[in-house]
Amino acid sequence: MGLKINDEIKNIALGAALRPGDSYKAAAFGTLSSSSGLWALILFGGALGGAIAGSANKNVFVIPTDNTIKLVQLGTWNTSKVEQVFDIPYGELTKVKHTKGSLGAHFIKFRVGKVRYRLTMTERGGKNLPGQKENAQIISQIFANIQNAQRAQKVKKAS
C-alpha cells in the first residue's frame, strides 16, 4: 500500500500551516530526517539500524513563506492527519547545502540549532499531485539562494 498524497492532503497541510494574511511561494511533498536517525544506523548497523533510521523519516509538506519555511509533518500511516507544524525563520537555517540528484530528486541538508536535517523532495507527483515538479524546483531554488548567501557571508567574514 502506497502513501496517499494528493491535492486534498496538500490543502490540509496548507490549512494547518498558514495563518490569515500569510502567503506562500510553493508547497511540495518530501521526507525529512534528522541526525538522530543517522545515529541509529551508525550505532546499531544492519537491518535493525536501518529500521530505526527509516522510522525517523517523516512525511512533510514544505511551504516557504516570505519569512519562514513551514514544515508540516503528516501522519506516518494516515497522511490526512497533521502531526506537527514547524515554523523555521530563514535566519535560523544554517549550513544549508542543496544538491540535485538524478531523476528529479532534490536533497537539502541544513541545521537548526545543533540538529542536522535532510530534506528530500522528488519532482514526480503524478496525476494525484499536480505541480509537484514546479513546487520542488521553487523550494530548491530558495534553499540554493540561502546556501549562496551563507557562502557569501562566510567569504565576507574571511576577508
Side-chain angles (χ1 to χ4, degrees), residues 25-90:
K25 300 173 188 226
F29 176 76
T31 57
L32 183 72
S33 60
S34 69
S35 53
S36 59
L38 297 174
W39 281 112
L41 186 60
I42 292 167
L43 292 174
F44 296 106
L48 176 62
I52 293 170
S55 67
N57 289 335
K58 303 297 181 189
N59 299 315
V60 295
F61 262 95
V62 185
I63 306 169
T65 65
D66 290 334
N67 303 312
T68 65
I69 293 283
K70 295 178 185 279
L71 299 172
V72 180
Q73 180 184 334
L74 305 173
T76 303
W77 304 111
N78 179 3
T79 56
S80 64
K81 179 183 175 209
V82 172
E83 292 188 358
Q84 294 184 64
V85 177
F86 301 96
D87 200 357
I88 307 168
Y90 290 122

